[in-house]
Amino acid sequence: MVDELDIKIISLLQKNARLSFREIARELDVAVGTVYNRIKKLEENGVIKGYAPVLDYEKLGFGLTALIGVKAQGKKIQEIERKIAEKSRAMMVYDITGEFDIFVIAKFRDREDMNRFVKWLLSLDGVEKTNTSVAMQVVKEEPRLALED
C-alpha cells in the first residue's frame, strides 16, 4: 500500500531522481532511515522500477515520432506485443480496445529508419495491417505523472 509519505517521496524523485536520502528527508522533515526504508520498499514492490534521465530525443538524433496502430490475429497478439517491445525504437507498446489491437509509440532517426521498422512489423506472423501516423510537432511529451494535486 502506498501512503501520502510515499507519494511525496516519489514526487520528489520524479522531479530529481538524483536527490540523496538526506535531501529528501530534510525536504519532508522525516528521518533519513525512514526515507531509505520507504524507497527500498517501493523498489522491492515494483512501484519504483528504475531511475532514468528525461532526455530530449530530438537532440540525440531521434526527431521522428510515430504512432502505430496494429491489427493482429487474436491468438498472436501477445506474441506480437512481446516482439515489438523487444525493439529498441518502440518506446511504448499498449494492448488496446477499438479498431486496432496494439498501439505503439516509437522514435526514429528518419523516414528510412521508420520504414524499416514498419516493414518488419508487417512481416510478423499474425499482423494483418498497420496504420502509422507521424507526429508533426511534439506539444507535450512528459514521462512523469503528477501524483499530487
Side-chain angles (χ1 to χ4, degrees):
M1 193 71 180
V2 177
D3 66 13
E4 187 177 330
L5 180 57
D6 292 330
I7 297 294
K8 288 179 180 179
I9 292 170
I10 292 167
S11 294
L12 286 173
L13 288 172
Q14 283 190 123
K15 291 175 189 163
N16 182 359
R18 297 179 68 181
L19 288 174
S20 69
F21 297 133
R22 186 174 313 286
E23 290 169 317
I24 295 169
R26 188 177 321 118
E27 176 76 23
L28 299 178
D29 197 26
V30 297
V32 173
T34 299
V35 171
Y36 173 83
N37 291 332
R38 293 292 186 113
I39 290 174
K40 289 301 170 197
K41 183 179 171 191
L42 291 165
E43 290 170 343
E44 288 168 6
N45 291 335
V47 175
I48 296 176
K49 294 181 176 186
Y51 301 87
V54 178
L55 303 174
D56 183 329
Y57 292 103
E58 193 164 339
K59 289 180 180 175
L60 293 168
F62 293 89
L64 185 64
T65 302
L67 300 89
I68 307 167
V70 181
K71 180 81 173 148
Q73 295 171 358
K75 61 185 175 185
K76 300 275 187 177
I77 291 173
Q78 289 182 326
E79 178 185 339
I80 293 167
E81 289 168 341
R82 192 173 55 256
K83 287 179 180 179
I84 296 169
E86 290 172 357
K87 290 297 212 182
S88 62
R89 298 295 192 257
M91 296 191 66
M92 298 171 195
V93 180
Y94 298 102
D95 187 319
I96 63 169
T97 62
E99 179 182 351
F100 292 94
D101 304 299
I102 305 165
F103 197 77
V104 181
I105 299 175
K107 296 278 188 185
F108 301 101
R109 292 190 180 281
D110 51 33
R111 284 189 339 239
E112 174 78 21
D113 193 18
M114 181 180 69
N115 187 37
R116 279 190 302 273
F117 182 86
V118 172
K119 285 185 177 168
W120 167 82
L121 192 55
L122 286 166
S123 76
L124 293 177
D125 185 37
V127 171
E128 296 174 359
K129 73 175 186 174
T130 65
N131 183 316
T132 301
S133 296
V134 174
M136 299 301 287
Q137 180 180 8
V138 177
V139 177
K140 179 180 181 181
E141 192 169 72
E142 176 58 60
R144 300 165 295 200
L145 176 67
L147 302 174
E148 298 179 289
D149 291 326

